[in-house]
Amino acid sequence: MRPLELDDTRRAILASPGHVLIEGGPGCGKTTIALLKALQELDSLQDEQRVLFLSFSRAAVRQITDRMDGLLGRTARQRLEVRTFHAFFLELVRSHSRLLTGRPASFVTPDRERELRADFGGDKEAWAAETQRRGDEEGTYVFDLLAGTAASLLEGSAAVRDLYSNIYPLVIVDEFQDTNIDQWRAVKALSATSTVICLADPDQRIFGHLPGVDEERIDHAVAHLTPARFDLSQDNHRSPEGGLLGYANAVLRNTPTPIPDGIRTLTYSQRWGAVSPEVRTHQTVIALQSHLRSKLGREPTLAVLATTNHLVGKISETISVENVTTHGMLPPVQHDLHWDPELTAAAGFVVASLLEWPALPRLEALVRTLRAVADYYRTKFTKGTSGAKAKIQTVERAVTALTNGKPPRGKTAPAIAAAYDAGLKFVGQPVNDWQEARARLQGSKELDELFKQVRMLRLLNATDQLALTLAQAWDGATAYTDAAAAMRRALANAQLTTSEQNASPVALMNMHRSKGKEFDGVIIVEGAFHSRLLEPDWDPERTRNNRRLLRVAITRARHMVFFVRPEDALRLTPPT
């Protein structure tokens, strides 16, 4: 990124004494000027005080932390806390929830929350009432309840509010346009005694489908905070030479524009025997890596983005191996896969339950594993797979039959029982023992599905932590004690506290997950059927949302964007 010059607008931001709202698009310098303002304010803080920088994702936290390294010295960096909303609210609720319930807080991990929610059959109101009851009566909180609980503590207790405002007299809120009502309540409560800086881009509001996210949130901030308001939307320091921001804005607004040099489109045919979109993407990754490596004189960072996790997974499988085309052999591409891991984690809990078998009576071992299988399908049900409900019921009936001393019906429960009866011997080496347990997932379509899912567990970037967790669970003789519960805790902790590491220069993810990240080059892949970038304009609101998402995806790139699209894809902009 080129050094930012302090123009009149930026000097005015630094001189502004109260609440501030900074608006602008990707690469305009919102984060940089906010960090410079934080640096300026540090001199006036007492030793125990800090500046708080709140963002939505661990990826965004990592980006901000990297930006700090180039702007702030070591002492200043230590006094600026960059945290996700979830992590900040978790600490606040854990520390002060006794004020609301009279008892210490406990938390339901996200995977367990999805399983519990499935038992409410999709009744969102009933589930919301149940989570509220758990919080109010038991002091047990699901993650979606953290923001509202934290906001209630800040609103209802002057002592709590004053404590946090004293620790954090300056609060910077990233991606403010996407705050939901509870996050806004918390920020609003802190604003009574802390100075708040809001960073916002109205055109990047891509989470409007989530409960409580309001397209008028910026107006709410203007009305309540009466901030000094600054517009940096005309600036672009991320990709100033490639025409990417201008093209992204044209896609957003569906206006004619020439195709800039930084945008290329490759197509593929849907005819039988033609090159698949996944292989075409493999070709594109190799070509773009080579082009940017030559242009930049270093190893470039690339992102491959798609609209659905399913397509992202298929691309990952394809580029992980050699592919032979008419133009030659494509070597495997080492990459990181950033995706929604819930199903894979749920399948992992089934394998972990098998690691407990040698130390358990037969009935208890089988019931634990079958309930883990049912929980996997509960997770699948919450993701919209209606057929999963019947599988849950089948497994629960098998549990009832076993408990009553009767033989279970179907194929899954008998296959699991046969695996137990055949015996499992472990040696205390987590990797080998895991593979041994995983190999027992066979004998039914359901177990075959679990086996395929759990093979993807290596892609959750937590394998070392899981191996250590299992090593600690080894009883020293025959089994892993409470392995499933230990694994569940380890994955939940990793989700909240582990920074995303860009170990590989190539990253795969869906377009929503790309928000807050930057790469030298971006490849946007459109599927032929259920993962189109644009559909015929029969739903204007959906089309607007898709165009916002496309703008986010395009503007992740610093130098070049490649599209991989079917031949019949709709144009992204009208002809000039």
Side-chain angles (χ1 to χ4, degrees):
M1 185 183 71
R2 300 187 309 183
L4 281 178
E5 297 180 0
L6 288 182
D7 55 16
D8 291 343
T9 301
R10 287 172 174 78
R11 282 194 291 270
I13 291 172
L14 294 179
S16 182
H19 302 312
V20 174
L21 170 62
I22 305 173
E23 298 174 272
C28 72
K30 299 189 300 292
T31 302
T32 299
I33 194 62
L35 290 173
L36 290 176
K37 189 165 180 63
L39 176 61
Q40 176 182 271
E41 297 298 319
L42 289 179
D43 291 339
S44 63
L45 301 186
Q46 299 176 20
D47 290 343
E48 71 278 5
Q49 292 182 317
R50 303 287 185 269
V51 172
L52 177 63
F53 200 128
L54 290 174
S55 195
F56 281 91
S57 68
R58 288 174 290 130
V61 166
R62 176 64 184 269
Q63 289 282 80
I64 296 162
T65 303
D66 289 346
R67 193 76 54 84
M68 287 166 54
D69 290 342
L71 288 171
L72 310 181
R74 180 180 179 182
T75 301
R77 291 197 304 271
Q78 291 175 341
R79 301 189 66 189
L80 200 159
E81 292 187 16
V82 187
R83 312 181 69 179
T84 64
F85 277 100
H86 260 126
F88 177 65
F89 292 151
L90 177 64
E91 178 200 273
L92 197 156
V93 173
R94 178 179 283 144
S95 300
H96 304 288
S97 65
R98 286 177 180 270
L99 296 173
L100 297 175
T101 64
R103 64 182 70 193
S106 60
F107 302 95
V108 180
T109 59
D111 54 279
R112 184 57 182 157
E113 176 186 345
R114 284 184 290 272
E115 295 162 1
L116 293 170
R117 188 168 68 239
D119 289 335
F120 284 76
D123 189 334
K124 295 181 180 179
E125 292 185 1
W127 172 244
E130 170 62 11
T131 59
Q132 194 64 53
R133 183 199 66 77
R134 286 170 175 261
D136 293 343
E137 298 179 8
E138 303 172 8
T140 300
Y141 301 98
V142 299
F143 278 23
D144 284 346
L145 212 61
L146 289 178
T149 305
S152 295
L153 283 164
L154 291 168
E155 291 168 340
S157 171
V160 171
R161 186 169 60 251
D162 290 344
L163 171 65
Y164 280 88
S165 286
N166 184 59
I167 298 172
Y168 305 113
L170 177 63
V171 178
I172 303 170
V173 185
D174 194 24
E175 304 286 2
F176 178 78
Q177 75 281 349
D178 282 328
T179 51
N180 64 28
I181 183 61
D182 291 327
Q183 291 160 344
W184 167 229
R185 285 173 54 210
V187 171
K188 190 161 52 172
L190 287 171
S191 73
T193 44
S194 293
T195 300
V196 173
I197 298 175
C198 300
L199 311 181
D201 178 2
D203 290 332
Q204 281 203 78
R205 192 180 60 82
I206 62 173
F207 295 110
H209 60 286
L210 297 178
V213 178
D214 193 326
E215 64 180 8
E216 297 181 354
R217 183 70 68 228
I218 293 175
D219 295 334
H220 299 159
V222 171
H224 183 81
L225 302 177
T226 60
R229 194 170 184 177
F230 299 93
D231 184 1
L232 304 181
S233 59
Q234 299 305 309
D235 297 340
N236 176 21
H237 300 278
R238 178 178 300 167
S239 55
E241 299 173 356
L244 301 183
L245 180 57
Y247 182 76
N249 287 335
V251 171
L252 172 68
R253 300 179 177 92
N254 195 25
T255 55
T257 186
I259 306 298
D261 292 339
I263 299 288
R264 307 286 174 83
T265 299
L266 301 176
T267 61
Y268 61 88
S269 171
Q270 299 173 55
R271 296 189 300 272
W272 185 86
V275 174
S276 69
E278 295 82 23
V279 171
R280 179 70 80 196
T281 302
H282 197 166
Q283 293 173 321
T284 307
V285 170
I286 299 296
L288 186 53
Q289 274 186 320
S290 177
H291 173 77
L292 289 177
R293 193 180 292 125
S294 176
K295 177 180 178 180
L296 302 175
R298 58 172 172 80
E299 190 65 25
T301 57
L302 265 61
V304 180
L305 310 180
T307 51
T308 65
N309 289 322
H310 178 69
L311 181 54
V312 170
K314 290 175 65 178
I315 294 169
S316 177
E317 292 175 359
T318 299
I319 72 174
S320 295
V321 299
E322 291 184 357
N323 283 289
V324 179
T325 71
T326 56
H327 298 290
M329 186 271 293
L330 301 173
V333 175
Q334 182 179 355
H335 62 279
D336 292 333
L337 179 60
H338 304 265
W339 63 331
D340 295 327
E342 292 87 356
L343 279 174
T344 295
F349 300 146
V350 177
V351 177
S353 74
L354 270 64
L355 295 173
E356 303 171 0
W357 277 5
L360 297 176
R362 182 177 189 273
L363 178 59
E364 183 179 354
L366 296 182
V367 167
R368 284 193 184 191
T369 297
L370 285 169
R371 283 179 174 159
V373 173
D375 287 343
Y376 169 84
Y377 282 100
R378 287 188 175 93
T379 300
K380 199 168 184 180
F381 177 75
T382 63
K383 291 182 170 295
T385 304
S386 57
K389 191 169 185 179
K391 296 184 185 297
I392 297 169
Q393 294 170 343
T394 298
V395 174
E396 293 291 0
R397 283 196 293 268
V399 170
T400 301
L402 284 168
T403 303
N404 293 331
K406 299 179 181 179
R409 296 183 178 182
K411 293 184 177 180
T412 297
I416 291 174
Y420 179 90
D421 293 338
L424 263 176
K425 292 184 178 180
F426 301 128
V427 296
Q429 297 178 1
V431 174
N432 293 336
D433 291 342
W434 179 273
Q435 293 171 346
E436 179 71 19
R438 185 184 65 190
R440 303 307 172 97
L441 296 179
Q442 55 181 311
S444 72
K445 290 182 179 179
E446 291 76 18
L447 295 179
D448 289 343
E449 177 182 339
L450 284 161
F451 180 84
K452 292 177 181 178
Q453 274 288 348
V454 83
R455 289 180 63 188
M456 304 294 282
L457 195 64
R458 63 182 177 81
L459 299 169
L460 299 189
N461 296 321
T463 49
D464 291 343
Q465 185 174 355
L466 292 179
L468 176 61
T469 298
L470 292 177
Q472 293 170 340
W474 175 244
D475 68 3
T478 60
Y480 293 81
T481 305
D482 292 328
M487 180 179 169
R488 193 184 296 270
R489 289 192 299 269
L491 286 179
N493 184 64
Q495 180 176 337
L496 268 184
T497 62
T498 304
S499 297
E500 293 196 7
Q501 302 295 322
N502 295 323
S504 171
V506 179
L508 272 62
M509 66 197 76
N510 66 41
M511 292 162 68
H512 278 92
R513 289 182 78 91
S514 72
K515 189 172 182 180
K517 298 179 173 69
E518 295 180 19
F519 305 90
D520 293 318
V522 167
I523 300 168
I524 300 173
V525 186
E526 178 173 5
F529 302 105
H530 301 298
S531 49
R532 294 280 187 165
L533 294 177
L534 291 178
E535 300 283 0
D537 199 8
W538 54 269
D539 185 342
E541 181 59 28
R542 181 179 179 184
T543 298
R544 282 193 294 272
N545 291 337
N546 285 347
R547 289 188 176 277
R548 287 195 190 102
L549 188 57
L550 273 166
R551 180 179 182 268
V552 168
I554 294 167
T555 55
R556 298 310 91 200
R558 301 185 188 99
H559 300 284
M560 182 162 283
V561 174
F562 270 64
F563 286 93
V564 177
R565 310 191 69 197
E567 292 176 334
D568 64 346
L570 295 178
R571 293 181 63 102
L572 299 182
T573 61
T576 54

